[in-house]
Amino acid sequence: MSLQRLIFFVLSVLFFIATAMWLKDEFKPKWTKYQEKYYGEQVLKVEKEFLAATAAKDKELLEKRLVSLKKPVYEIKQILLKGTYSWSKQQNGDKVDRCMTCHIDEDKLKAVHPSTKELPFDIYGCTVCHGGIGRALSEEVAHEGMYYHKRQMELRLTTAEIMFDFWSELAILTPEESDPNERLEMGNFKKYSITGDKAIYVGSQKCLKCHKGLTSPHVERWQRIKFKTFERVKEAPDYIAGTDGYRKTCLKCHTTGYDEATGKFSEEGVTCEACHGAGEVFSYFMEIGKAPEGQKIAKVGTYGTPYNVCGPCHNTRNHEMRLKFFQERGGSDEWFYPQHTTPYKTSFSGKDEAGSKSLPKIQ
């Protein structure tokens, strides 16, 4: 055999092998094995339920489910995310996550991701927290640069900008509100840590260990006034007589770290984290000797920054329910006048002598 024929033969064999491998991956991609395993497990599960079922209607429904599970359609599953990739990220086109093509068992995913109630997969996908390449279908490429567990996610937090990028991405992925004025900023997501879980409130005592000496005048004033607001609220006649729903409205602004879903809060009063956000994120930087990075995060939402944390509570309409309560039941108007400020201003009555609008006295 001549050298030319030998080379041609070797190249032909290599071409045949490469073609066979390509056809195998094309008609039976590697990701199908994960779906086969999932559907196999589901068949066994439903068969057990079928044997245990006693009602004819239940058996009929389970039998139909078994038929569909035994003839599954293996397909690429993806989530079309809000926003688009850019060339700066060496990607372009629609932003998609195809992680669930392999990670197909949603029940298992939800079990290990409690935050999915607030950050559901079908809106935020997986890569926003875990990294990796969501568009890829091969395990090697998809898992490139991925953060597998929470500890790896936390270790990537080396600067405040990484946290800002994460919050900004959540803002981009969140569906737009019907009201164009309700555009979300990164500060709206300050309650989330880099893992996607709700950030932990560490408590004012941890803050005061350092800041009682560093920012004494500010801390002293805040402790004397804002820390104690809930003490006065608890003594108010309308809070005492109010329903659970009425009291929850008070708790939103007069406690720190209030969670509407559970009705629990971190501390009574308006303490450090009421304005600066849950301390888990920025206290982490303080502890590793990167205080300036922690300061950047703590300042998000405070006075002078684009997202203003003050607005939701410092809104005169928040106390409309109080006016209604006292007008209906009677009582002293002293509860509308915080001891440390000028009288509470609103727009429910006519002008007073000074020309401003103040709350009418309750007779």
Side-chain angles (χ1 to χ4, degrees):
M1 182 183 292
S2 66
L3 181 61
Q4 287 182 331
R5 288 187 176 183
L6 179 61
I7 293 173
F8 177 77
F9 175 76
V10 171
L11 290 175
S12 298
V13 171
L14 291 174
F15 177 76
F16 176 78
I17 293 172
T19 303
M21 291 176 67
W22 176 80
L23 288 171
K24 180 177 178 294
D25 286 342
E26 185 69 20
F27 291 99
K28 190 175 175 58
K30 291 180 180 179
W31 51 260
T32 57
K33 67 180 181 181
Y34 297 103
Q35 295 192 11
E36 286 176 350
K37 181 182 177 182
Y38 169 75
Y39 288 119
E41 291 173 349
Q42 290 299 303
V43 166
L44 293 174
K45 179 182 176 182
V46 175
E47 283 178 342
K48 288 181 180 178
E49 292 176 358
F50 179 81
L51 293 173
T54 54
K57 188 175 181 180
D58 291 340
K59 280 185 172 290
E60 183 182 349
L61 291 172
L62 289 168
E63 189 173 11
K64 288 181 180 179
R65 178 156 170 72
L66 270 174
V67 171
S68 64
L69 286 171
K70 288 179 178 179
K71 294 181 179 180
V73 177
Y74 302 117
E75 59 185 356
I76 295 172
K77 299 181 182 295
Q78 68 179 23
I79 298 169
L80 182 62
L81 302 171
K82 186 168 166 279
T84 56
Y85 285 121
S86 63
W87 284 108
S88 62
K89 295 182 179 180
Q90 297 181 331
Q91 297 171 316
N92 72 312
D94 293 330
K95 189 181 291 186
V96 298
D97 258 13
R98 293 173 172 169
C99 307
M100 57 292 308
T101 299
C102 297
H103 301 278
I104 191 173
D105 193 336
E106 285 193 29
D107 291 335
K108 284 185 179 179
L109 289 174
K110 289 177 180 177
V112 296
H113 293 84
S115 59
T116 53
K117 291 181 180 179
E118 295 197 26
L119 302 176
F121 297 130
D122 58 344
I123 293 177
Y124 296 94
C126 306
T127 54
V128 64
C129 294
H130 286 283
I133 301 175
R135 183 181 285 273
L137 288 171
S138 70
E139 186 175 348
E140 296 78 13
V141 178
H143 289 185
E144 185 179 330
M146 180 180 166
Y147 310 105
Y148 287 86
H149 47 75
K150 289 184 178 181
R151 184 56 181 160
Q152 288 182 336
M153 295 179 199
E154 291 166 350
L155 288 174
R156 73 173 168 132
L157 192 59
T158 54
T159 65
E161 280 66 31
I162 292 174
M163 196 73 250
F164 296 156
D165 288 343
F166 174 67
W167 288 334
S168 297
E169 184 69 6
L170 290 179
I172 291 170
L173 292 171
T174 301
E176 294 177 358
E177 300 287 340
S178 55
D179 183 354
N181 295 320
E182 294 293 326
R183 188 168 65 89
L184 294 175
E185 304 284 352
M186 74 166 185
N188 292 92
F189 297 90
K190 195 177 177 181
K191 62 181 178 180
Y192 296 107
S193 69
I194 196 70
T195 64
D197 296 316
K198 279 191 174 180
I200 297 169
Y201 286 82
V202 298
S204 58
Q205 291 306 309
K206 185 168 184 176
C207 306
L208 294 174
K209 284 180 181 178
C210 296
H211 287 279
K212 206 162 187 176
L214 293 172
T215 52
S216 296
H218 169 69
V219 170
E220 186 278 327
R221 178 179 180 277
W222 215 261
Q223 280 187 292
R224 177 169 48 84
I225 301 171
K226 298 293 186 179
F227 276 36
K228 297 181 179 181
T229 58
F230 194 62
E231 293 178 13
R232 182 167 172 79
V233 169
K234 287 190 292 186
E235 297 173 356
D238 56 324
Y239 182 82
I240 295 170
T243 63
D244 287 342
Y246 188 98
R247 292 181 181 182
K248 284 180 180 178
T249 306
C250 306
L251 293 173
K252 290 178 185 178
C253 292
H254 292 283
T255 63
T256 299
Y258 177 70
D259 187 333
E260 290 190 59
T262 63
K264 296 179 180 179
F265 51 85
S266 172
E267 289 184 279
E268 293 185 356
V270 184
T271 62
C272 313
E273 294 166 291
C275 299
H276 293 290
E280 177 188 9
V281 178
F282 50 83
S283 66
Y284 164 77
F285 282 113
M286 309 297 186
E287 290 168 353
I288 64 172
K290 291 187 175 182
E293 298 300 317
Q295 287 175 345
K296 291 178 187 177
I297 294 174
K299 287 180 179 178
V300 172
T302 55
Y303 181 76
T305 56
Y307 169 77
N308 194 336
V309 74
C310 311
C313 286
H314 288 272
N315 180 348
T316 56
R317 299 190 69 84
N318 285 353
H319 282 181
E320 284 184 359
M321 64 176 193
R322 303 199 69 206
L323 176 64
K324 183 179 179 182
F325 177 92
F326 283 101
Q327 285 179 333
E328 290 177 350
R329 307 192 187 190
S332 171
D333 65 347
E334 65 176 294
W335 298 102
F336 289 91
Y337 295 86
Q339 295 173 340
H340 60 283
T341 64
T342 54
Y344 178 83
K345 302 297 180 184
T346 184
S347 58
F348 294 122
S349 69
K351 294 184 178 180
D352 59 15
E353 294 179 359
S356 64
K357 295 180 179 180
S358 60
L359 188 72
K361 285 187 176 291
I362 307 295
Q363 300 299 328

